[in-house]
Amino acid sequence: MSVTFRPLHPLFCAEVSRDGKPLDLRQVHDRETLTELRDGMDKYGVLVFPQQPFTNAEQLAFAQRWDGALHAKLGSNVVDKSRLGNPALGDTSNLNADGKVRDREDRHRLYSLANRLWHTDASFRAPAGRYSLLSTRVIPKVRADTEFADMYAAYDALDAATKKQIDKLQAHHSIAYSRQTLGFTFSEKELDNLRGAVQPLVRTNPRTGRKSLYIASHANSIIDWPLPEARLLLLDLMTHATQPQFCYSHEWRDGDMVVWDNLSTMHRGRPYDDINHKRELVRVTTLDADHVPGSEAKVLDDAALV
Ligand code: OGA
Ligand code: MN
């Protein structure tokens, strides 16, 4: 019996089931189902899988079945090392090493607050992130959504002149920049290790030929453009791309796993009272396999991070 995709939004995002029941991804090993799921991903950009009781090891194993190589440099070593003990496990939580919620002034917390800006994962690295698999461990009683924006639809809705203007442009992405826009400060030494990566402004899905806008709060300049002009274009594109008609907000339920394509979507965490409520999700991100070294994305920083 084949997989069913129930759309959650007029443009993108779908919830996945089989035979009217949740599909247990821990048991999905066959090529046929994985191909169906990837085809669904090419269409919807964000897939929601309810009732997935993943352990960290099972999540790592499934991510590899989904798309091969894992991204093992998700964050930066300017804040605490991951509690999770494996550089391919991203800690999307508000917890410290003792499993307690972080204090308001905790530097790691302040750094992580930038996840509430629109972004796409690891665009400040080359290769960037391709698919992110975010799985619940502890969901707070208060609502703490993750919001997604459809970058296929955002690209399609640009006027022809803008499409032509941006088609061959490249932007520089840096994780330091997205944090600095919130007033977070780094030492010179830290900045030295955070030089970022150059990425095309428009990406093409190699399987479908569909184009998407590839921007993020990490994008801070356009190669060969004067900086103020570049920042204005990036701001305009960001405003355009995050209009309500392109956005879906996911309200987490216990057991949810959400998988998204970082080339065709942006996302952001929504504000919640993180000082008083534990929230723990684990993220695994795969590598952008379409990246050809030296072609569209340049490595500017390959320092040992995470
Ligand atoms: C992430 C992320 C947002 C959230 O895990 O990559 O951006 O809602 N999360 O926590
Ligand atoms: Mn993210």
Side-chain angles (χ1 to χ4, degrees), residues 92 115 119 121 134 145-146 260 267-270 279 283:
T92 299
N115 269 345
H119 66 282
D121 291 331
L134 186 60
D145 288 12
T146 305
W260 64 86
H267 62 279
R268 62 173 178 174
R270 300 303 288 142
R279 178 178 188 258
R283 173 159 69 84

Side-chain angles (χ1 to χ4, degrees), residues 59-274:
Q59 190 172 341
L60 285 167
F62 178 71
Q64 283 167 284
R65 295 202 291 283
W66 177 272
D67 193 42
L70 302 183
H71 215 297
K73 292 179 179 179
L74 295 178
S76 100
N77 61 356
V78 305
V79 288
D80 297 356
K81 257 186 143 43
S82 171
R83 296 176 304 127
L84 305 176
N86 180 329
L89 290 170
D91 183 11
T92 299
S93 83
N94 57 344
L95 308 180
N96 62 22
D98 302 329
K100 301 252 178 359
V101 292
R102 291 181 183 275
D103 295 337
R104 191 162 186 197
E105 297 294 338
D106 181 305
R107 190 165 190 249
H108 188 113
R109 168 178 184 263
L110 300 178
Y111 179 91
S112 301
L113 282 178
N115 269 345
R116 297 185 189 176
L117 300 172
W118 285 109
H119 66 282
T120 180
D121 291 331
S123 65
F124 48 89
R125 297 228 178 274
R130 181 64 202 266
Y131 301 104
S132 284
L133 299 86
L134 186 60
S135 170
T136 51
R137 298 294 185 270
V138 177
I139 292 305
K141 283 183 205 58
V142 294
R143 210 167 147 169
D145 288 12
T146 305
E147 193 175 17
F148 295 90
D150 181 358
M151 293 302 104
Y152 288 135
Y155 178 82
D156 290 346
L158 291 170
D159 59 60
T162 308
K163 282 182 186 161
K164 191 155 179 266
Q165 181 188 31
I166 68 170
D167 234 18
K168 298 274 179 294
L169 293 180
Q170 299 201 311
H172 175 247
H173 293 236
S174 136
I175 196 165
Y177 177 71
S178 54
R179 272 74 194 145
Q180 284 166 332
T181 58
L182 293 183
F184 187 89
T185 50
F186 295 89
S187 68
E188 285 302 318
K189 190 158 167 274
E190 287 169 339
L191 286 176
D192 236 29
N193 280 332
L194 297 173
R195 271 165 286 164
V198 176
Q199 308 283 2
L201 261 187
V202 178
R203 302 293 301 245
T204 305
N205 181 321
R207 281 192 295 266
T208 62
R210 223 173 151 194
K211 287 185 175 183
S212 57
L213 194 54
Y214 191 67
I215 51 173
S217 56
H218 310 307
N220 64 89
S221 63
I222 293 175
I223 305 308
D224 296 332
W225 274 42
L227 194 54
E229 197 180 349
R231 293 250 167 108
L232 276 174
L233 176 62
L234 290 167
L235 271 173
D236 275 353
L237 291 173
M238 192 58 110
T239 305
H240 164 81
T242 57
Q243 294 175 82
Q245 68 267 30
F246 302 135
C247 296
Y248 163 77
S249 191
H250 186 66
E251 181 172 358
W252 291 95
R253 302 156 299 188
D254 274 335
D256 275 355
M257 156 103 126
V258 177
V259 185
W260 64 86
D261 185 345
N262 283 295
L263 263 47
S264 72
T265 57
M266 281 200 291
H267 62 279
R268 62 173 178 174
R270 300 303 288 142
Y272 73 103
D273 178 4
D274 64 300

Side-chain angles (χ1 to χ4, degrees), residues 41-59:
M41 178 58 78
D42 285 339
K43 184 164 174 196
Y44 291 104
V46 180
L47 296 178
V48 176
F49 297 92
Q51 296 178 41
Q52 306 294 327
F54 275 107
T55 62
N56 293 352
E58 287 166 340
Q59 190 172 341

